[in-house]
Amino acid sequence: MNSPAQGPARRPAPAAALHLSGALLFTLLLAACGSSDSSDPADPGPVVGVPPASSSLVTCKDYENNEVSVAPKTITVYNNSTDTIYPVISTSKNAKNEWIQGCFRTTELYPTDYVYKLYVNEGEGIPPNSSVTITLPLYSKLDETRYITWWNGGRVVLADRSERLLGKEDSAMETPNTVSCEGHNTACALSTYSSSVQFPENIYAQLSEYTFGDSIIPNGQSVRLLKPENVGYNISYVDHVYMPVAIGPKNNPYIGYSGSAQPLANFRNALTAFLASTSVGEGWPVYNLEQLKLPGGYNIFAQRSGTLPPSDNVPVKPTDGYPPVLTVLKCINGDCTEQQKKSLHYGEAVQRMQNLWGSCVDWNEDLSPYVTENVTCPTDLKDQMAVVKQFFVQNHQNYLAMYSEGKCEGPTPQKPTFNYWEAMMHIYGWVPFNEGCGADANALADTKIPGWDHAKVQSMYIHELQYNHQQTAVQINPKLLFNPYVQLIHDDLKMNAYGFSVDDAVGFMSELGDGLIFAVGGTEGLENNEQFSYEDGFTLKVGVPHVKDGHPNEPLIKKYGVCVLNHDAKDLKCEADKQDVDMPDNSQIAGFRVGTVASYPIQVRFTDLDDNVYSLRVNTKFAPCPEDMAESQCPINRTGLVDKTNCVVTDSSGAKHPKSDNWCGGADPNQKREKQLTKNYLSFPDPVNFLP
């Protein structure tokens, strides 16, 4: 595929750690994406249809540089659709392999120069009502300097056609014997390729992204440390929307799924309805495919002039020239002239976006190629869009300064001028001007304008602009709609997934888990059949005793569990001690998430390192506060939320702990609010043996 853009917009790396009462609930550093790996063979032979071999264990070094075994994690794919699904796992290129650095506790780079692609039942896929489980070690060693790092910035490609999944850049190699696969109602054979590139955009597939564990630099140390406990994941609807995929963690049943568990037919009906909506999605581009696949708000600009090889099997093919990457539904349906097949890449929905920017913001250039109508803009919208434009003008000036200082390739900037068209691509991708300077150069986080730093601009960009479809004025006048695609993802398809590149609040997940479960077209196979929502659950936090400060490798909690009252016929009153999630034994994690439960009230239990068992009842879901209420008063039902008469801490002998009432009396329900998101917390004091 020949596209003028360097690649789809990518989510910025989330923060490496979330502090909970002085401890760490580790999040993941999702690598953006990569490209490439090609050549040398790996270790001999695939392991198919058997449990993971002992060779899947990897020896790393812990916080104190002692050797520790790191167990593999798994990726399971359930096909709940009526079509065959073709799963592929791919890794990413990294100039610096931080996961290997964290495992070995070294500053050596261990670069990964290739993409490795792992095909399940290559060319045959997995049939309906079947599943496969792939067991992935942290890495597979190819030679003394080359590793396949399966955990760092991986992709799961789920296709319903195998076309173009394998390209001329892909070279076959032996599947490492540290990787294994088991099938249910299907065979599970693995084929491995190395490549210089990732997958083209015009495949019949939905892209998802994952990262297992994290690599951090602990306070007071200078080398990285691998933290293997979490799984991070998102469905990359920021790039495109094609197929319903639901993702949930393995061995963590209290986290609902991300994405969509809709039947495939219903999901595609919603895409069709979006394209038919005269006020929202009419004329939104589609990929040049025989099945509906829609680009995100960045790709409608970045891929507009892209073309495909004439040999590609696509529905829109001009008699001369190259087929387009993006077209419109009219051309897919065969209603375009030969000229329109080459030139018609968008319609009314995108034109309204272009008109909005041409009308609300001043430009010192001829906008006639892009703008067809002058829109009357409300003052607040004009001001917000002007700030975003000014912010990117400053970022471009910083970019030119880098070239003048000789920090980039060549003497001439690849993007010498700031103009309307370049602004559209960079703003909707929320990506800096760094062409020719490196992917990490000229970060938006380092850009400032008078009165606005990056955090303030980005918050406004997210809540006031990208989500402006929720505003009454915009619902009345669709000409003010900033990005129809966000409405499609979040409202029409009802997905907690990325609708644009910095939609992290609802798109990115990082949870305890031994792997991930991907379900296509239904919830079968997921450990929790409810969709995840921060508002529906809460994070329970305990205090960190001062004597534990500076000991991030010492755990606080052994295990936890949740029981829904009046839900299990065998235990309606939740009298059984249900604790079915084991906490890591080498990390100080001061709490856990109760993300999604069937209903309230619930009984929550956990055990600390001294075998004290904490049992408490949460009567109801956290109630959101009005926007004008002080956060300190939230939630509005905080008084009766925890049933303190059913809260007790028992010691290792089963007797009530003498400080049980003190601990239970310290229950503090609280909320943190953003405009699009409310997160709930249930905070408690230090473990009972550390109370005064």
Side-chain angles (χ1 to χ4, degrees), residues 86 88 119 123-124 157 159-167 199-205 242 288-291 293 311-315:
Y86 303 87
V88 188
Y119 293 75
E124 297 181 5
V157 174
D160 60 358
R161 297 193 192 186
S162 60
E163 290 179 44
R164 293 184 287 277
L165 286 179
L166 197 62
F199 299 90
E201 192 70 40
N202 66 324
I203 54 176
Y204 290 89
Y242 179 70
N288 192 356
L289 298 169
E290 293 177 359
Q291 189 60 260
K293 182 175 182 178
S311 58
D312 273 9
N313 179 27
V314 293

Side-chain angles (χ1 to χ4, degrees), residues 381-392:
L381 181 60
K382 290 180 66 173
D383 292 343
Q384 291 156 2
M385 294 176 69
V387 166
V388 171
K389 181 199 171 187
Q390 184 184 358
F391 182 77
F392 276 87

Side-chain angles (χ1 to χ4, degrees), residues 181-443:
C181 185
E182 293 181 276
H184 178 70
N185 292 335
T186 181
C188 192
L190 299 176
S191 305
T192 305
Y193 290 79
S194 61
S195 182
S196 59
V197 298
Q198 286 285 2
F199 299 90
E201 192 70 40
N202 66 324
I203 54 176
Y204 290 89
Q206 184 64 57
L207 168 66
S208 301
E209 297 174 323
Y210 75 93
T211 290
F212 291 156
D214 194 9
S215 176
I216 68 164
I217 299 179
N219 290 335
Q221 297 194 2
S222 59
V223 293
R224 290 189 169 275
L225 172 68
L226 182 75
K227 303 296 295 182
E229 52 265 20
N230 270 28
V231 291
Y233 50 99
N234 73 82
I235 307 169
S236 192
Y237 289 117
V238 61
D239 297 322
H240 57 253
V241 58
Y242 179 70
M243 182 186 293
V245 177
I247 309 179
K250 179 71 178 288
N251 292 335
N252 190 344
Y254 307 116
I255 304 299
Y257 66 83
S258 294
S260 174
Q262 293 184 56
L264 186 55
N266 294 7
F267 191 87
R268 286 177 171 161
N269 286 342
L271 299 184
T272 300
F274 173 77
L275 294 173
S277 170
T278 56
S279 62
V280 182
E282 181 185 21
W284 192 265
V286 298
Y287 283 99
N288 192 356
L289 298 169
E290 293 177 359
Q291 189 60 260
L292 285 181
K293 182 175 182 178
L294 279 59
Y298 168 77
N299 285 351
I300 62 171
F301 299 110
Q303 296 178 334
R304 180 174 295 183
S305 60
T307 57
L308 302 169
S311 58
D312 273 9
N313 179 27
V314 293
V316 180
K317 272 191 172 185
T319 54
D320 62 313
Y322 293 90
V325 171
L326 298 182
T327 184
V328 292
L329 195 57
K330 173 183 175 181
C331 294
I332 295 288
N333 293 335
D335 296 328
C336 286
T337 65
E338 284 298 314
Q339 180 57 39
Q340 288 174 327
K341 289 179 183 179
K342 292 187 285 187
S343 62
L344 190 55
H345 307 304
Y346 66 96
E348 183 60 27
V350 178
Q351 186 60 61
R352 284 196 293 262
M353 295 167 66
Q354 295 182 183
N355 292 343
L356 188 69
W357 276 100
S359 303
C360 298
V361 178
D362 294 329
W363 304 87
N364 295 319
E365 60 181 291
D366 177 17
L367 298 182
S368 59
Y370 312 112
V371 178
T372 60
E373 179 184 356
N374 186 53
V375 178
T376 301
C377 301
T379 301
D380 56 347
L381 181 60
K382 290 180 66 173
D383 292 343
Q384 291 156 2
M385 294 176 69
V387 166
V388 171
K389 181 199 171 187
Q390 184 184 358
F391 182 77
F392 276 87
V393 168
Q394 181 61 54
N395 183 261
H396 185 261
Q397 290 174 355
N398 298 346
Y399 167 72
L400 296 181
M402 291 181 65
Y403 259 97
S404 66
E405 295 166 5
K407 296 180 179 180
C408 304
E409 296 178 3
T412 305
Q414 294 185 18
K415 302 293 180 181
T417 59
F418 180 91
N419 56 42
Y420 176 95
W421 183 248
E422 292 296 340
M424 292 302 96
M425 287 191 286
H426 286 79
I427 289 171
Y428 279 94
W430 203 249
V431 290
F433 286 90
N434 55 20
E435 294 86 343
C437 304
D440 297 328
N442 195 28

Side-chain angles (χ1 to χ4, degrees), residues 503-543:
D503 203 7
D504 302 85
V506 296
F508 174 77
M509 296 290 293
S510 175
E511 306 295 336
L512 288 172
D514 295 327
L516 290 171
I517 301 167
F518 294 75
V520 178
T523 59
E524 180 66 30
L526 296 168
E527 293 183 357
N528 192 315
N529 290 343
E530 302 294 326
Q531 189 176 45
F532 177 81
S533 168
Y534 285 105
E535 291 88 345
D536 289 343
F538 59 90
T539 295
L540 188 146
K541 304 191 296 182
V542 297

Side-chain angles (χ1 to χ4, degrees), residues 36-42 114-119 122 142 146 148 165-175 191-197:
S36 18
D37 222 29
S38 159
S39 63
D40 304 323
Y114 303 99
V115 169
Y116 294 98
K117 301 176 181 179
L118 192 65
Y119 293 75
E122 182 185 347
L142 304 183
R146 289 187 57 197
I148 303 176
L165 286 179
L166 197 62
K168 66 181 187 310
E169 301 90 351
D170 303 330
S171 300
M173 57 182 286
E174 293 183 354
T175 299
S191 305
T192 305
Y193 290 79
S194 61
S195 182
S196 59
V197 298

Side-chain angles (χ1 to χ4, degrees), residues 63 75 99 119 126 128-129 139 194 200 227 254 286 341 349 368 386 399 417 438 450 519 560 571 584-585 611 614 672:
Y63 179 78
I75 288 177
W99 266 241
Y119 293 75
I126 62 173
N129 303 312
Y139 63 77
S194 61
K227 303 296 295 182
Y254 307 116
V286 298
K341 289 179 183 179
S368 59
Y399 167 72
T417 59
Y560 68 93
D571 187 21
D585 60 5
D611 290 320
Y614 303 71
K672 298 295 182 185

